[in-house]
Amino acid sequence: MFKEEVNRFVYVNNEGQVMAYLKFYALNDNAYDVNSVYADISLRGKGIGQQLVDLMVNKASQENMLIRPTCPYVLKLFVTNDKYENIWYKE
């Protein structure tokens, strides 16, 4: 199950253990900085990281904010997928 917490989205298993997360903070009034995505080794390659990024993109879009992808995983997604072009905060 995915949940939003303060400055992060998490994926928890049935026992309530956090198995994956995306961390972010408000960079300024117009943008969030996404600085970390982690998934437990048992979840890697299953699209959990991508789903966390998409949750963050939806949040930013709803709030008319942009995203600065400082996490290497998120930056790679932004570079390789045009669907993120309009949400990408470029200084």
Side-chain angles (χ1 to χ4, degrees), residues 2-79:
F2 291 96
K3 298 184 339 185
E4 182 176 356
E5 297 180 346
V6 176
N7 290 336
R8 71 181 192 158
F9 284 96
V10 297
Y11 176 80
V12 296
N13 64 13
N14 292 335
E15 291 80 39
Q17 181 180 10
V18 173
M19 301 294 290
Y21 61 79
L22 175 149
K23 291 183 179 180
F24 64 93
Y25 65 91
L27 179 64
N28 55 42
D29 290 339
N30 301 315
Y32 289 112
D33 184 293
V34 177
N35 56 7
S36 180
V37 175
Y38 168 80
D40 183 79
I41 194 162
S42 66
L43 296 175
R44 294 186 188 162
K46 297 184 179 179
I48 299 297
Q50 174 77 56
Q51 291 177 63
L52 289 165
V53 171
D54 289 342
L55 287 169
M56 185 66 215
V57 167
N58 288 339
K59 174 185 176 61
S61 293
Q62 289 174 358
E63 297 175 6
N64 294 315
M65 300 278 281
L66 299 173
I67 294 173
R68 180 173 73 175
T70 55
C71 168
Y73 172 76
V74 180
L75 180 59
K76 181 179 177 182
L77 287 178
F78 275 43
V79 167

